[in-house]
Amino acid sequence: MALTRRVSSSIPHFFGFAERSFKSYKLPGGPSSSSSLTHGIHVFHCPDQVGIVAKLSECIASRGGNILGADIFVPEKKNVFYSRNEFLFDPVKWPREQMDEDFLNLSKLFSATRSVVRVPDLDPKFKIGILASKQDHCLVDLLHRWQEGRLPVEITCVISNHERGPNTHVIRFLERNNIPYHFLNTTKENKREGEILELVLDTDFLVLARYMQILSGNFLRTYGKDVINIHHGLLPSFKGGNPSKQAFDAGVKLIGATSHFVTEELDSGPIIEQMVERVSHRDNLESFVQKSENLERQCLAKAMRSYCELRVLPYEENRTVVF
C-alpha cells in the first residue's frame, strides 16, 4: 500500500508500515542548560539522496539550535531515508511558526513523504480516548502513569462496554480527575460504533486497553487516525479466549505482549513494541497471569510513549521503524 504524502506539524497517522538495521548517532557538545532553551523533535521521511543530513543540520544550526541526538535509517538497496532529530533551541530566536516554515521548505526540497515537528513544551498534548472492557490492569496503569506525568497526553474520555459501579477504584479516580466515563453496552448486532465515534471525534489517537471488541473497517476508516492496541501474547500465538490458560496448558517457557496498530485484519497491524518474560514449571496459573498482565501494562505504556515522542514511523506495507 502506497504511503500518502504528508507534510505537517501535527501528529502523524500511520496506516501502512518494516525491517531494517538502524544507524544511531549522538552528536557531541551542546549549550549549557538554560530556562530559555526548549526541546524540539523532528522526523523526516523522504527519497534518499546525498546531502539530506547536512541540510537538516544546517536548518537547525542556522537558527541557533543545537542537535542533541540524531537517528538515521537508510535501508539497504532501497531509495528511502528516515531520520529523527532532537534539538534545543531558543523560541525567541526561532519562533514556532518560522520553524514550521523552515521544515516545510526542506520537505519541498527533498519531496518528503512525511515531515513532522513537535515542541512538547509549546504544542498541545495529544488528546486520546481509552477504550476498555472488564479487565482493569492496563486501564488503571495508564491512568496512574498519566497522573504522575509519565504519559504526555490529555485523556478526554474512557469508554467501556462493561459497567463499573459508582464506588469502584476506576470510577472514583475518573471523577476526581474530571475524566468522563461512558458505558456503552454492546451486543453482537450493535457495537455502538457510531456513538463511540461521536465521543472520540476530537481525539488525536485511540488506545485499546484490553477492549474486548473488534472495531470494524468502517469504524477505522471513519475515524481516520491511529488506534493502538495491546495483545496478550507474541502475535500471532494464542488468539481467542483465555489466552493465558492456552499458553499455560501448552507449557510455554516464554510469554509476551505485543502492542500494535489496529487494522481491518484482526491482530495483524504493524507492531510497535513487544516484551517477553520467562516462565517455568514452577509457575502456577495465578503467577503466570500476573506476569502476563505486567508485560501488557509495560508494553502498552512504552508503545504509547514512543508514539507520542515521534519515534514510530511506517515502513513498507505492514512494519514500523521505531527509533
Side-chain angles (χ1 to χ4, degrees):
M1 178 175 66
L3 293 173
T4 302
R5 178 171 179 172
R6 183 200 309 271
V7 177
S8 168
S9 62
S10 62
I11 186 170
H13 303 129
F14 309 141
F15 296 102
F17 289 79
E19 163 198 325
R20 295 239 162 114
S21 59
F22 296 85
K23 302 175 184 177
S24 296
Y25 304 95
K26 282 290 181 183
L27 303 185
S32 58
S33 61
S34 168
S35 59
S36 66
L37 297 181
T38 302
H39 174 238
I41 307 168
H42 178 250
V43 296
F44 205 56
H45 175 198
C46 67
D48 189 31
Q49 60 178 283
V50 174
I52 302 174
V53 173
K55 285 292 185 181
L56 287 170
S57 301
E58 181 185 6
C59 174
I60 296 171
S62 67
R63 299 294 185 179
N66 185 71
I67 296 177
L68 300 178
D71 289 284
I72 298 166
F73 173 45
V74 180
E76 186 178 359
K77 298 180 181 179
K78 293 185 183 292
N79 182 39
V80 63
F81 172 94
Y82 295 89
S83 72
R84 178 183 182 275
N85 287 307
E86 293 193 35
F87 54 93
L88 285 178
F89 72 101
D90 186 338
V92 175
K93 296 179 180 178
W94 198 9
R96 189 68 177 80
E97 296 78 10
Q98 182 65 56
M99 181 183 293
D100 284 341
E101 183 179 339
D102 290 344
F103 283 122
L104 178 60
N105 290 335
L106 280 179
S107 301
K108 294 176 180 177
L109 177 64
F110 292 109
S111 301
T113 303
R114 180 171 281 101
S115 176
V116 183
V117 61
R118 179 158 180 79
V119 181
D121 290 341
L122 302 180
D123 296 345
K125 290 183 178 180
F126 297 127
K127 294 181 179 180
I128 71 166
I130 301 177
L131 277 67
S133 291
K134 184 175 182 179
Q135 289 182 291
D136 281 341
H137 60 285
C138 286
L139 173 60
V140 169
D141 183 71
L142 294 182
L143 293 175
H144 283 291
R145 288 176 190 265
W146 167 82
Q147 184 182 51
E148 294 166 0
R150 291 189 286 159
L151 288 177
V153 297
E154 175 187 339
I155 302 174
T156 64
C157 64
V158 173
I159 302 169
S160 180
N161 64 329
H162 173 73
E163 189 170 17
R164 289 173 170 82
N167 201 35
T168 59
H169 173 69
V170 168
I171 297 300
R172 292 199 305 268
F173 182 98
L174 296 176
E175 288 176 346
R176 285 197 307 271
N177 291 280
N178 298 313
I179 299 173
Y181 179 82
H182 304 279
F183 163 58
L184 298 178
N185 186 34
T186 60
T187 65
K188 188 175 182 180
E189 295 74 26
N190 185 3
K191 301 289 187 179
R192 311 288 290 272
E193 291 189 342
E195 293 163 82
I196 295 173
L197 284 169
E198 290 182 8
L199 293 170
V200 301
L201 190 63
D202 194 35
T203 58
D204 294 303
F205 66 99
L206 298 181
V207 177
L208 308 187
R210 293 309 307 272
Y211 185 60
M212 306 306 289
Q213 299 291 317
I214 298 173
L215 298 176
S216 70
N218 182 64
F219 177 96
L220 297 174
R221 287 188 297 271
T222 304
Y223 180 61
K225 304 168 193 175
D226 288 328
V227 181
I228 296 175
N229 186 37
I230 183 66
H231 187 273
H232 42 242
L234 293 174
L235 288 172
S237 300
F238 305 115
K239 293 183 179 181
N242 210 342
S244 292
K245 190 171 189 309
Q246 289 184 52
F248 180 77
D249 290 343
V252 300
K253 304 305 179 190
L254 280 175
I255 59 172
T258 302
S259 187
H260 65 96
F261 290 103
V262 176
T263 59
E264 291 190 47
E265 189 175 353
L266 180 63
D267 292 334
S268 298
I271 292 171
I272 307 170
E273 183 62 55
Q274 290 187 300
M275 292 183 174
V276 297
E277 182 173 338
R278 284 203 164 274
V279 291
S280 75
H281 59 279
R282 298 184 184 279
D283 282 288
N284 55 30
L285 183 56
E286 181 181 4
S287 66
F288 192 95
V289 170
Q290 287 176 346
K291 289 181 178 180
S292 179
E293 290 183 349
N294 189 46
L295 284 177
E296 291 169 23
R297 287 190 287 261
Q298 294 179 66
C299 190
L300 179 58
K302 186 173 181 181
M304 286 179 60
R305 189 161 190 87
S306 293
Y307 186 86
C308 291
E309 293 176 351
L310 306 189
R311 297 184 181 277
V312 186
L313 286 167
Y315 172 48
E316 291 186 347
E317 287 287 334
N318 197 45
R319 305 172 80 178
T320 55
V321 169
V322 183
F323 284 124

